[in-house]
Amino acid sequence: MLGYYILIGGIALVSWLVSSKLKQKFAYYSKRQLSNGMSGREIAEKMLADNGIYDVEVISVRGQLTDHYNPKNKTVNLSEAVYNQRNAAAAAVAAHEVGHAVQHAQAYGALQMRSALVPVVSVTSGMSQWLVIGGLILGAAAGVGMGYWIAVAGLVFMGFATLFSFITLPVEYDASNRALAWLKTKNMVNQQEYEGAEDALKWAARTYLVAAIGALASLLYWALQVFGGRD
């Protein structure tokens, strides 16, 4: 277990560093006011209209960095700062979330796969590690009957979460690419503002990358504990 705690501690440290850097970037670019004077809400609504999407609503939600697109009720949910502010960070986030709405409207394959996994992961992710540990206690590492199969079931459940994390990567990167392309081609931002939006989204994407690597590392560690002790 010591090795697991070291692994998780290392991943948590990297995640914290990336998250802290992301917050610093957004704080910095939040001070750069947009030359077009548009708020995050206005940016989102214009990008939706430019993509021929008229059945998605842009709404404000509480919290910081709580922005997301909800495909179930077709809403672009922007945190209060992004919704109201008129800066490069707000433009980047608003356009990114609309990028997900565009993916949904165009039936983007990776987004459909991620959406299909949501109900599965919501059920399995919370119990996967406990199943593996329980199976190991019952003798999975020695290949003992029921304990082994309980641990394998836990690994399968953990595998769904890992798959979800990796499918999330192309979804997030594609949404950012769509956002940046639209901001540039529609002349929504000047060159300096564009570079700020690009930098902010780059750090946002790294949080998903760290999460995916962490999920894979955890899966491999527990798989080694289950299968490594068998003859």
Side-chain angles (χ1 to χ4, degrees), residues 22-23 25-27 29-30 34 39-45 47 58-59 61 63-69 76-101 172 175-176 178-180 182-183 189 193-194 196-205 208:
L22 173 62
K23 291 178 181 178
K25 290 289 183 179
F26 273 92
Y29 293 120
S30 292
L34 282 185
S39 67
R41 174 184 63 81
E42 292 167 335
I43 289 285
E45 289 175 344
M47 185 173 172
V58 181
I59 62 176
V61 294
Q64 183 182 20
L65 298 178
T66 52
D67 313 87
H68 65 280
Y69 170 67
V76 171
N77 300 264
L78 302 179
S79 58
E80 293 172 339
V82 172
Y83 187 88
N84 294 308
Q85 296 300 313
R86 306 169 188 272
N87 52 57
V93 174
H96 173 88
E97 298 307 332
V98 173
H100 288 308
E172 295 300 327
S176 291
R178 291 172 188 266
L180 292 170
W182 178 80
L183 289 171
V189 292
E193 293 163 349
Y194 177 84
E198 184 179 37
D199 191 33
L201 291 178
K202 176 181 68 178
W203 280 97
Y208 293 100

Side-chain angles (χ1 to χ4, degrees), residues 50 177-189 194:
D50 286 350
N177 290 337
R178 291 172 188 266
L180 292 170
W182 178 80
L183 289 171
K184 189 171 187 178
T185 57
K186 296 296 183 177
N187 296 314
M188 300 303 297
V189 292
Y194 177 84

Side-chain angles (χ1 to χ4, degrees), residues 13-222:
L13 176 60
V14 173
S15 179
W16 178 80
L17 291 172
V18 172
S19 179
S20 296
K21 189 68 174 180
L22 173 62
K23 291 178 181 178
Q24 292 174 10
K25 290 289 183 179
F26 273 92
Y28 177 73
Y29 293 120
S30 292
K31 298 176 182 178
R32 293 190 177 185
Q33 298 302 303
L34 282 185
S35 54
N36 63 20
M38 296 177 69
S39 67
R41 174 184 63 81
E42 292 167 335
I43 289 285
E45 289 175 344
K46 178 165 176 51
M47 185 173 172
L48 287 169
D50 286 350
N51 283 276
I53 301 173
Y54 300 101
D55 59 346
V56 172
E57 183 182 5
V58 181
I59 62 176
S60 176
V61 294
R62 293 182 177 180
Q64 183 182 20
L65 298 178
T66 52
D67 313 87
H68 65 280
Y69 170 67
N70 188 334
K72 290 184 178 180
N73 59 11
K74 291 190 175 182
T75 56
V76 171
N77 300 264
L78 302 179
S79 58
E80 293 172 339
V82 172
Y83 187 88
N84 294 308
Q85 296 300 313
R86 306 169 188 272
N87 52 57
V93 174
H96 173 88
E97 298 307 332
V98 173
H100 288 308
V102 176
Q103 290 174 337
H104 188 202
Q106 297 180 356
Y108 178 60
L111 180 65
Q112 291 183 313
M113 290 177 63
R114 186 176 75 168
S115 297
L117 280 173
V118 168
V120 177
V121 173
S122 65
V123 173
T124 61
S125 61
M127 65 178 76
S128 61
Q129 185 173 317
W130 296 111
L131 285 174
V132 174
I133 294 174
L136 287 170
I137 292 173
L138 292 173
V144 177
M146 184 175 291
Y148 172 73
W149 292 111
I150 290 174
V152 169
L155 289 176
V156 171
F157 287 175
M158 200 174 290
F160 283 125
T162 303
L163 178 62
F164 181 85
S165 294
F166 276 91
I167 291 176
T168 293
L169 293 179
V171 173
E172 295 300 327
Y173 278 100
D174 179 77
S176 291
N177 290 337
R178 291 172 188 266
L180 292 170
W182 178 80
L183 289 171
K184 189 171 187 178
T185 57
K186 296 296 183 177
N187 296 314
M188 300 303 297
V189 292
N190 59 36
Q191 184 59 33
Q192 186 179 37
E193 293 163 349
Y194 177 84
E195 291 173 358
E198 184 179 37
D199 191 33
L201 291 178
K202 176 181 68 178
W203 280 97
R206 286 174 178 171
T207 63
Y208 293 100
L209 179 60
V210 171
I213 293 173
L216 178 60
S218 183
L219 174 63
L220 293 176
Y221 173 85
W222 287 115

